[in-house]
Amino acid sequence: MAFQPNTKGPQYKEKTETYYIHGRRKQRTVVRMLCECSNHAERVTGDLVYPERPELYRKLFFLCLRCNRYVGCHAGSGIPMGTLANQEVRRLRATAHQWFDRLWRDHGYTRGAAYHAMKVAVGVRHIGWEQEEGCKAVTEWAKAEIVRCQMKEPA
Ligand SMILES: [Zn+2]
């Protein structure tokens, strides 16, 4: 089975909903993202995702209230940093990022060159756009690339 990297990034939309309050017709705009479970995740504040962490209350997330997949947003813009992810995918993304970041922190790549090399080698543009397979592919590639770099580095 061929691994298909995500080339489009997170897809989210504004939806206007009509409601009535005190006899008046009102509208509200909901920003939402289709979840793999077929429910729509809504953009919410951090208190819904991390009730035990007040420092995150003002941060924005897309959260699926059916399956608990979520993803954080860029500060200020409310743009999602990636696609919705369950706990396992969030763990795999963190691992992939740790290995990938070593390339530009410790092994002579610039950050931009590391992203370019990942795109060419694995097809992945951003780790946060990927699910299980993409994260595992990045981790394997980054580990192999680190070994290759170490062979060229002076002992
Ligand atoms: Zn869901």
Side-chain angles (χ1 to χ4, degrees), residues 76-115:
S77 69
I79 293 170
M81 290 194 275
T83 55
L84 295 163
N86 63 21
Q87 192 178 25
E88 173 68 357
V89 170
R90 294 194 299 273
R91 193 184 64 77
L92 290 169
R93 282 179 182 176
T95 301
H97 244 300
Q98 281 164 14
W99 287 101
F100 171 78
D101 291 345
R102 285 179 59 182
L103 287 171
W104 57 271
R105 290 207 174 115
D106 306 328
H107 296 287
Y109 272 92
T110 63
R111 197 153 175 254
Y115 271 99

Side-chain angles (χ1 to χ4, degrees), residues 93-146:
R93 282 179 182 176
T95 301
H97 244 300
Q98 281 164 14
W99 287 101
F100 171 78
D101 291 345
R102 285 179 59 182
L103 287 171
W104 57 271
R105 290 207 174 115
D106 306 328
H107 296 287
Y109 272 92
T110 63
R111 197 153 175 254
Y115 271 99
H116 181 73
M118 175 170 69
K119 195 173 87 177
V120 171
V122 194
V124 169
R125 286 161 170 77
H126 294 286
I127 291 163
W129 292 9
E130 298 300 326
Q131 297 290 319
E132 284 93 339
E133 279 189 306
C135 294
K136 286 177 181 170
V138 167
T139 297
E140 274 178 39
W141 166 76
K143 283 181 177 175
E145 192 60 18
I146 286 168

Side-chain angles (χ1 to χ4, degrees), residues 35-39 64 66-69:
C35 184
E36 277 182 54
C37 80
S38 84
N39 185 41
C64 177
R66 182 191 282 169
C67 73
N68 280 358
R69 284 184 175 89

